[in-house]
Amino acid sequence: MLTKMKTFLPEDHLWQNQIIWYDVIDSTNNQAKKLIQQGAPHGTVLIADHQTGGRGRLGRSFVSPAGVGVYMSVILRLPQQADQLMHLTCAAAVAACSAVEKAAGFRPGIKWTNDLVYGGRKLAGILTELVITPTETAAIIGIGINCSQTEADFPEDIQSFAGSLAMVCDHSVDRAQVAAALIESFSEMADHLGNKQEILDAYRPDCITLGKQISIVTAGDIRHGIAIGIDDNGALLVEFPDKHIEAVNAGEVSVRGIYGYAN
Ligand code: BTN
């Protein structure tokens, strides 16, 4: 898979020689944190065939069986301070949509803030984490994409809303091609992170949450409103029944469509 993936990347791609393959690992994001401490350079890519402890947002797990998905983390060493990187997850989501479009021939939508969806099913999730030191910010962009599962391959509790690229395309999608497209897309994204407004302008049309009635779930509380916009930091603007508007940040809440996971 690694060798094949490299053939899909331009030979002179700056990250070609910084790709590390793991047959099995707990989590590529965990391993990326270790490599950051050891001085791994900007553009180090970790990719695994199988994760035993794949992690998602809000402490959830990300099911990562062998042979059927792409589980990847990219290390970025960035000049920006953490408070100037609120749009990083949005940037990664748009980049991931472009990569899927290139490799699989269709463009998924984004369920705010970081799930790639199609036909009401989640195809991929992104977990962005920052490692902050006094001198720099290192970011980890972790992405898991379901490539070739059928509905029956998913655990029962997520079967109704999990999907794969193959389920959308009706034919198999080459994991190596998906992984190479992701690397190209993320490296391009990393070069343009200073263009915050352009990134958010690209994010808004991909975001399927906008215009929908949603439920905002925090520990012990559910509120309902309409998603009316994305602000200049990537927060979701929600209008509540009493017409007041709040900017909701991704770190705090889970957002669901009221008619299902993404609807
Ligand atoms: C989510 O769905 O909330 C995010 C899922 C992110 C999963 C990817 S798989 C590669 C990387 N390693 C992890 O442990 N998580 C991310």
Side-chain angles (χ1 to χ4, degrees):
M1 155 91 177
L2 178 62
T3 317
K4 190 174 177 198
M5 182 185 75
K6 286 183 163 203
T7 65
F8 286 116
L9 266 185
E11 227 170 88
D12 58 350
H13 192 281
L14 285 177
W15 296 0
Q16 263 281 5
N17 299 315
Q18 299 178 174
I19 304 168
I20 308 171
W21 170 264
Y22 301 91
D23 286 331
V24 58
I25 196 152
D26 59 341
S27 148
T28 53
N29 267 37
N30 291 353
Q31 182 65 14
K33 277 186 198 158
K34 292 180 195 156
L35 295 190
I36 285 171
Q37 308 302 345
Q38 293 166 20
H42 177 81
T44 301
V45 178
L46 299 81
I47 176 162
D49 184 39
H50 171 43
Q51 292 185 123
T52 54
R55 294 189 290 110
R57 280 184 60 229
L58 305 169
R60 298 185 185 125
S61 59
F62 188 84
V63 185
S64 316
V68 293
V70 171
Y71 318 115
M72 177 188 285
S73 299
V74 173
I75 294 173
L76 304 179
R77 300 213 178 247
L78 300 169
Q80 292 95 338
Q81 309 249 311
D83 62 356
Q84 287 163 350
L85 288 170
M86 308 285 272
H87 60 300
L88 182 61
T89 302
C90 292
V94 174
C97 283
S98 301
V100 169
E101 189 171 18
K102 183 174 174 193
F106 72 95
R107 191 169 185 92
I110 301 166
K111 175 180 168 287
W112 184 86
T113 174
N114 63 343
D115 286 351
L116 268 50
V117 297
Y118 197 87
R121 290 177 181 268
K122 171 169 172 168
L123 308 178
I126 298 172
L127 177 64
T128 307
E129 299 184 287
L130 296 182
V131 177
I132 299 162
T133 72
T135 49
E136 65 155 9
T137 311
I140 301 166
I141 312 288
I143 181 162
I145 301 194
N146 303 323
C147 289
S148 52
Q149 290 95 329
T150 62
E151 186 176 320
D153 291 331
F154 292 107
E156 237 169 68
D157 57 326
I158 60 170
Q159 252 176 31
S160 62
F161 64 85
S164 70
L165 302 184
M167 283 165 69
V168 176
C169 298
D170 245 1
H171 57 74
S172 66
V173 176
D174 192 336
R175 280 194 305 160
Q177 219 169 328
V178 174
L182 279 174
I183 291 172
E184 279 199 273
S185 232
F186 285 146
S187 64
E188 203 179 314
M189 170 207 85
D191 289 343
H192 295 96
L193 273 175
N195 304 338
K196 187 165 121 177
Q197 289 316 325
E198 268 175 43
I199 289 165
L200 292 169
D201 285 346
Y203 182 87
R204 290 183 182 102
D206 277 338
C207 180
I208 57 115
T209 308
L210 292 181
K212 296 224 166 82
Q213 293 197 44
I214 53 163
S215 306
I216 299 162
V217 186
T218 39
D221 183 36
I222 298 190
R223 295 189 299 156
H224 305 287
I226 298 179
I228 59 162
I230 304 288
D231 79 4
D232 287 348
N233 286 318
L236 187 66
L237 295 171
V238 182
E239 184 178 289
F240 290 93
D242 66 2
K243 298 289 173 208
H244 91 279
I245 294 169
E246 273 178 41
V248 174
N249 282 304
E252 305 151 14
V253 298
S254 155
V255 166
R256 293 189 206 134
I258 59 165
Y259 302 113
Y261 158 74
N263 300 303

